[in-house]
Amino acid sequence: MIASQGPTGMKPVRVVIAGGGTAGWMTAAALSSQLASLVDVHLVESAEIGIVGVGEATIPHMREFLGTLGISERAFMAATGATYKLGIRFEDFGAIGECYTHPFGSFGRELDGLGFHHFHLRARREGLAAPLDAFSLPVRAAMLGRFAPPAGHPLTLEGGYGYAYHFDAARLAPFLRTFAESHGVKRTEGRITEVQRNSLTGDVTALRLEDGTVISGDLFVDCSGFRSLLLGETMASEWEDWSRWLACDRAAALPCAAQGTVIEPQTRAIAMTAGWRWRIPLRGRVGNGYVYSSAHLTDDEACAQILASAGAKPLADPRVLRFRAGRRRKSWVRNVVGIGLASGFLEPLESTSIYLAQIAIARLADLFPVNGIEDADRDEFNRLVDLEYDRIRDFLILHYHATRRSDSPFWQDMRAMAVPDSLTGALELWRRTARIAPHAQGLFHEPSWIAVLLGQGIVPEGYDPRADIAAAGSLERAMGGLAKEIDRLARAMPAHDEVLRQQETAHAA
Amino acid sequence: MPPDATQSRHMPGSVAVFGGGTVACLTTVALARALPRTRVTLVTPPGGSCNPTALADLAHTTWPGLARLHERIGIAEDDILRRASGSHCLGLRYANWRTDGAEWIIGHGAASPSGPGIAAALARAGRFALPDGQPGSPLAGLDYTLRFDPRAYRAGLRSIANRLGTTMAEGRPAAASHNETGAITQVILDTGAQIAADLFIDATGPGAGLIALAGQPQWIDWQDHLPVNRLLPAKDLARPGLSMLDRFEACREGWLWTSPGRDGTRTGLAYNASLTSDAEAADALLGHTGASPGEVIAITPGRLEKAFTGNVIALGDAAAQFEPIGWCNLHLAVRAIELLLEILPGLPIDTLEQYEFNRRWALLADRTRDFLAAHYTARPAFAAPFWQAAARLKHSPELILTLREFARRSRLPVFEEESLSRDAWLQLLAGNGTPAGMAPRKLAMGHAAREKERADEDRRVAAALHAAAPYPNWLANRLGAPSS
């Protein structure tokens, strides 16, 4: 029985990580620090294989990841040139000229257990309320270019939101490498030329490098990116293709110089004729990129369009990245676990790629096979990872499908596509009753769905009739008062770039 | 923005709640508060009596969730203490369930990472304090529930309902008229009176006399999952007591409950009729407790496939019946009322909204069943047919996953709805002897860190004990204080 034993005397599980990008070093850092003497972590990476160095946007869970590792926000932000993020501003998605923000937080306040949006739907019908944006502190703050971390009880306006970071992705892996190596992670530089397997069990036993070095292990984590060397190539874990719903398969990335001093505390996502483009404000520069469907746009056109629309001085030529939406049917096969792009890919529209790596790492640590791998471990891991992918997938599809745009073949296709049954059900429930079915696991809860659904013009036919109880006058006063209070709180926050400047000064001192 | 097509749905103009017990009264108060413009009618059996076989209505205690509902619908704890012989309870004590004879406790509120939680420690010492929400307080994770005299409690709820303008009627549902969509437009009572409403609540207890008029509800049988199908409560209450724990003791025939309260101590035997005759049960109850037997209650373990059918929603024993370990019967009803308040159906009733209610309620009900079923992974020292049958009970896939993950690494998988708290599950599985593996992260902490965690916990427990007072003193103090 495990319970009666301490780690002393147990042989550490030899974990070999193939690939040293963001996912690889996140895995190395987390496993080495959290599982300590239970593991012996060895990471193999090759300098020949570059890192995709575009600006990276995250969601608030990133803070949890740093917290678990005991890394301070200050240290992380200084090392990666990070800025704060309060949400994503979506432009031209529902229709050209329309925009909305998906903030890290909910809108308004619940009243007698009834969600704010029901009251807002009523007020909207009666022409009594400001747009939904006015009822979110992070949205107001982001629009004003201001930032302050949440303070106080989570049920108050001041304490009821979250935040995340934009950072320079090329600098995260080296930062985590230092951390991981200080926790005993070994690193070997070299190209993997052979994957050795046990002929009876099919388990991977070792990786052989170009220079002849052989690295053997008990558990192999595939962080080799799109190549999926161990999970895809060696284990032949089948690919489940989702491109029929998520058509974008290319990105033209373009780093630009910053303009002026204002650093927006939000990501911008601007719909284009064959996809959308991101704008990620970092310190000293701005990440830009056009995510598009190659069936609807050539690479040259995409590069020309991002150069034309970025509106700032490019720091390099546009670089085209290729990908496809989908996931491996199984993320854990035999003794190989895929983490990050090796296990699947969902485009960056909601900044979820680091989260997907993070959640897979956390589940692996939860289910870590201390005394040998059992089928049940793999099944549970795969069930949990699938759940995360499925939930994000539907939410992303929503952004494309919930549109009235017909200005280009791409948007016409998006509007007309048949979406997964799970999304059809959610849309129908929303349209008829203004309800979002809750879920206990996975990302994107009611406030997120409300932001995108209403933001893209899916106004429900009905709402909870309890919202009709209050007299119109008092509803209008309450709504007006709330919007005013939120505006006041937002204006009391310091400017985002001022917060960052003070951080830099403190760091230098 | 597109032209705004939002159309208001209507609130029900009238709701009729059928039933004379706790569930009906709680639902009536909840609806009267939530729908101030709706005419709410409470239709009770003659004399305002309660179905004597409805366990959620017989319950004199349940889990802490009831306090949350009280707060939400404006029921003051002070009134229960003063007018319904109310007292506080910190948890459940289990005796004789394990082969080694060891007792265990499920304390309310947070379980501790090592050893018993705060509630269990206070209960063992007979001490009590109210939870303290301040982070860092030794009483921060504490929770408790109430015991009460169900008859006085119901009377209190009815008087609140009265104050809220509820119409009272008496009679039993006998027939119904339907409209062209199949919805019930009015219920004809056995007295001949007619009750018309837009929405009906069936809280009539086992048999679900009202929902049966709405269609042919499908019943999902749980007899393969839960072994008890008979209860024999003692005829009379034993003398009052102020223990902080309800006791559930395994015996050859099944298990016995003992729940002290200010109005008396309730006790009874739970058994299976095919293994123990009612006469044998009466002898066993007398032998184990010295109490004379009361009226036998037959249980058909199971639930409605759909608690919400047409325009009728079944709650309490009308919707699900099962053995009363921890009086989860009332707990499930409380969770269902909360769900009703969340998804209060507008008119016209939307099939998707109805589907959502049924989906989520079914998950809550099944998880409650699994919580009870998990008790029977314990093996008492004595061999008896009841316990041999209990060892062969069916486990749902969710329970199999729960037990397996707990055994492998003390982990509780997350499910889409959870009826009892994770802390309760952890204490149950740790307590009943389910082999517990250690979580990898905890294993990695090393011996010293685990010892430190234990020492920290011991300090917290000591601080909590210090902050608490002997319960009789605490209660006397509270009752002596002017009514708030």
Side-chain angles (χ1 to χ4, degrees), chain B residues 85 87 147 237-243 259-266:
Chain B
S85 306
S87 64
R147 297 191 185 107
L237 299 187
R239 65 189 171 80
L242 284 179
S243 163
S259 180
R262 279 167 62 209
D263 59 333
T265 295
R266 290 172 172 77

Side-chain angles (χ1 to χ4, degrees), chain A residues 1-3 5-7 10 34-36 38 98 112-113 121 124-125 362 365-370 372-374 376-377 380 383-384 391 404 428-429 432-433 435 437-441 454 457 459-466 468-470, chain B residues 1-2 4-12 34-37 72 340-347 350-353 356 359-360 401 404-405 407-409 411 413-417 435-447 450:
Chain A
M1 198 77 272
I2 305 174
Q5 283 181 7
M10 285 171 64
Q34 288 176 51
L35 300 182
L38 300 184
E98 286 182 12
D112 290 332
L121 284 167
R124 176 190 164 115
R125 183 165 53 89
D366 286 343
L367 305 172
F368 196 79
V370 181
I373 301 168
E374 290 181 6
D377 301 339
E380 181 65 352
R383 179 181 82 86
L384 293 167
R391 293 249 150 87
R404 277 156 286 126
E428 201 50 33
L429 181 65
R432 280 158 55 173
T433 68
R435 295 192 198 283
H439 53 83
Q441 311 175 80
L454 289 179
V459 180
E461 292 148 23
Y463 52 79
D464 193 305
R466 277 171 289 180
D468 285 332
I469 293 174
Chain B
M1 284 284 145
D4 214 325
T6 303
Q7 297 291 314
S8 176
R9 294 167 71 205
H10 311 290
M11 272 188 300
L35 299 173
R37 289 188 203 161
R72 179 158 177 195
L340 177 63
L341 289 179
E342 187 186 330
I343 314 182
L344 202 56
L347 294 182
D350 190 291
T351 48
L352 280 177
E353 207 167 60
E356 265 305 288
R359 178 184 74 85
R360 291 176 62 191
L401 180 61
R404 192 186 69 207
E405 282 295 301
R408 185 130 167 87
R409 45 181 78 91
R411 173 175 171 267
V414 175
F415 295 101
E416 283 306 311
E417 291 286 345
M438 199 182 278
R441 283 192 187 86
K442 184 144 185 184
L443 197 55
M445 277 168 70
H447 185 69
R450 285 200 299 275

Side-chain angles (χ1 to χ4, degrees), chain B residues 215 328 358 387 433:
Chain B
C328 291
N358 284 325
W387 293 96

Side-chain angles (χ1 to χ4, degrees), chain B residues 39-212:
Chain B
R39 198 164 70 93
V40 180
T41 307
L42 175 62
V43 188
T44 60
S49 63
C50 154
N51 183 332
T53 63
L55 301 181
D57 293 332
L58 285 179
H60 57 283
T61 188
T62 186
W63 293 76
L66 181 63
R68 212 168 44 217
L69 182 65
H70 281 162
E71 207 170 301
R72 179 158 177 195
I73 65 179
I75 294 166
E77 184 172 309
D78 222 48
D79 289 344
I80 298 170
L81 293 180
R82 287 171 198 280
R83 300 194 190 138
S85 306
S87 64
H88 300 80
C89 175
L90 285 170
L92 295 75
R93 179 201 292 268
Y94 295 86
N96 292 342
W97 290 69
R98 292 170 52 139
T99 315
D100 61 8
E103 296 198 348
W104 85 83
I105 290 175
I106 298 180
H108 293 315
S112 92
S114 58
I118 301 294
L122 292 185
R124 279 206 182 93
R127 296 173 85 86
F128 185 75
L130 289 175
D132 178 356
Q134 291 299 319
S137 159
L139 301 168
L142 184 66
D143 210 346
Y144 66 88
T145 188
L146 291 178
R147 297 191 185 107
F148 45 78
D149 166 10
R151 199 183 299 256
Y153 175 62
R154 271 197 308 273
L157 292 175
R158 284 182 60 124
S159 73
I160 296 173
N162 250 323
R163 280 207 302 280
L164 293 170
T166 300
T167 310
M168 299 292 175
E170 285 191 2
R172 293 192 163 84
S177 337
H178 300 80
N179 68 12
E180 66 286 351
T181 67
I184 293 181
T185 50
Q186 59 178 0
V187 171
I188 297 114
L189 304 181
D190 56 358
T191 61
Q194 295 172 349
I195 305 286
D198 296 324
L199 186 69
F200 293 88
I201 305 292
D202 185 346
T204 59
L210 186 59
I211 207 163

Side-chain angles (χ1 to χ4, degrees), chain A residues 92-96 271-273 403-407 411-412 415:
Chain A
D92 301 339
F93 274 78
I96 291 175
M272 304 283 280
T273 50
T403 187
R404 277 156 286 126
R405 285 185 66 149
S406 56
D407 54 288
W411 287 104
Q412 285 160 12
R415 220 170 102 170

Side-chain angles (χ1 to χ4, degrees), chain B residues 412-435:
Chain B
L412 285 181
V414 175
F415 295 101
E416 283 306 311
E417 291 286 345
E418 191 58 274
S419 168
L420 281 305
S421 71
R422 294 174 66 77
D423 295 293
W425 272 98
L426 284 173
Q427 293 176 82
L428 169 63
L429 297 180
N432 78 358
T434 304

